[in-house]
């Protein structure tokens, strides 16, 4: 996956900043295992019942290939106290943040405590 | 003496041919550039693709005006549809709703629970500690 692969490639930069990437999707456990193996430095979280995504309101209704709901690509920075520091959602789902943009956001919105 | 076939009396079959091929080229250029961007792992909305397809429509229109053939009309209709579908897709279909949920900057993230790939729970309480977190909600295996 382009997005996760790019984040995985930059794992040392995230580690330097003591930042853990949590990759969340509505895939099932079997797929999540595969994803975790492919991207060992990311923490892969699956949400096959969509409860987490509904709680945080990050679903894009009727946009999955089968007509169901799937994730609206969203990036949320959370500091070590569990406080949200930044939320980014592109206006179109083809757009993704580049890892350099995520790192820049971390340095700007969430400077080290 | 027979006059030579020259520029003063060009072959009518060639009239507008350059416009035709320019149209075909421009139509294919957008998807090709997008494929290159994708291969380079740069994900952005390719607005240039419908714009190039629209230019292609103008070229094919010029080709049809110069010489009306079935193949030119067919190419014009096909490329016009292709351009329209691209504009609609980028402007409407892939648009995401604005975020209006409960996650607010400066506030604690709402309580949630998901699962790690080993089946154990992952909750909001685990975001507190010595590390900071970036939650990335992703879709599709691409």
């Amino acid at each position: 996956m382009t997005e996760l692969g790019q984040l995985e490639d930059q794992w040392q930069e995230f580690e330097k900043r003591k930042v853990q990437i949590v990759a969340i999707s509505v895939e099932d456990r079997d797929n999540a295992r595969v994803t975790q193996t492919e991207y060992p430095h990311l923490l892969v979280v699956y949400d096959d019942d969509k409860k987490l995504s509904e709680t945080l309101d990050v679903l894009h209704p009727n946009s999955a290939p089968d007509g169901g709901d799937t994730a609206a690509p969203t990036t949320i920075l959370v500091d070590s106290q569990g406080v949200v520091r930044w939320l980014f959602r592109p206006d179109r789902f083809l757009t993704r943040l580049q890892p350099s943009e995520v790192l820049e956001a971390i340095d700007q919105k969430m400077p080290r405590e | 003496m027979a006059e030579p076939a020259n520029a003063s009396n060009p072959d009518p079959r060639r009239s507008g041919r350059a416009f035709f091929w320019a149209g075909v080229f421009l139509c294919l250029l957008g998807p090709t550039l997008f494929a290159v961007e994708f291969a380079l792992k740069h994900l952005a909305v390719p607005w240039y693709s419908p714009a190039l397809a629209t230019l292609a429509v103008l070229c094919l229109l010029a080709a049809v005006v110069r010489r009306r053939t079935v193949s030119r009309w067919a190419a014009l209709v096909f490329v016009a549809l292709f351009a329209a579908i691209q504009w609609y897709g980028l402007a409407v279909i892939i648009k995401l709703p604005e975020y209006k949920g409960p996650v607010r900057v400066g506030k604690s993230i709402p309580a949630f629970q998901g699962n790690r790939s080993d089946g154990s729970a992952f909750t909001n309480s685990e975001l507190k500690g010595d590390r900071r977190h970036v939650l990335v909600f992703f879709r599709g295996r691409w």
Side-chain angles (χ1 to χ4, degrees), chain B residues 74-96:
Chain B
L76 176 61
V77 170
F78 176 80
V79 174
L81 276 175
F82 187 53
I85 289 168
Q86 287 189 71
W87 281 120
Y88 181 69
L90 296 192
V92 178
I93 293 178
I94 69 165
K95 198 164 168 38
L96 284 171

Side-chain angles (χ1 to χ4, degrees), chain A residues 1-3 6 15 17-25 27 29 33 35-36 38 43-46 52 55-58 60 63 70-71 73-85 89-96 98 110 112, chain B residues 34 38 40-47 90-119 122 127-142:
Chain A
M1 277 176 274
T2 299
E3 185 179 22
Q6 287 180 300
E15 189 61 35
R17 291 165 172 79
K18 289 199 167 186
V19 168
Q20 174 68 56
I21 304 283
V22 184
I24 308 168
S25 79
E27 63 186 3
R29 186 174 171 185
R33 278 186 182 144
T35 307
Q36 185 64 80
E38 285 176 27
L43 172 57
V44 174
V45 169
Y46 71 94
L52 191 168
T55 301
L56 301 186
D57 198 8
V58 290
H60 186 193
S63 66
T70 191
T74 308
T75 301
I76 302 171
L77 303 192
V78 185
D79 71 16
S80 56
Q81 302 302 309
V83 174
V84 176
R85 291 298 171 197
R89 174 179 287 182
D91 63 352
R92 285 175 171 74
F93 68 65
L94 275 182
T95 309
R96 296 288 191 282
Q98 294 289 305
M110 200 162 59
R112 283 171 217 231
Chain B
F34 181 65
F38 196 84
L40 294 173
K41 299 184 174 182
H42 183 257
L43 292 179
V45 181
W47 289 110
L90 296 192
V92 178
I93 293 178
I94 69 165
K95 198 164 168 38
L96 284 171
E98 191 185 337
Y99 186 78
K100 290 179 178 165
V103 176
R104 290 278 170 262
V105 172
K107 305 280 184 194
S108 291
I109 193 152
F112 67 78
Q113 180 172 330
N115 308 282
R116 290 182 176 82
S117 60
D118 65 5
F122 178 80
L127 298 178
K128 291 183 185 175
D130 62 345
R131 294 178 78 80
R132 301 172 293 166
H133 292 80
V134 179
L135 310 185
V136 178
F137 291 86
F138 69 97
R139 69 194 279 162
R141 300 187 69 78
W142 45 268

Side-chain angles (χ1 to χ4, degrees), chain A residues 7 14 75 77 86 88 95-109, chain B residues 42-43:
Chain A
L7 293 169
F14 292 108
T75 301
L77 303 192
W86 190 54
F88 173 81
T95 309
R96 296 288 191 282
L97 286 172
Q98 294 289 305
S100 59
E101 294 173 302
V102 178
L103 289 166
E104 195 182 323
I106 289 168
D107 292 340
Q108 285 185 2
K109 312 282 183 185
Chain B
H42 183 257
L43 292 179

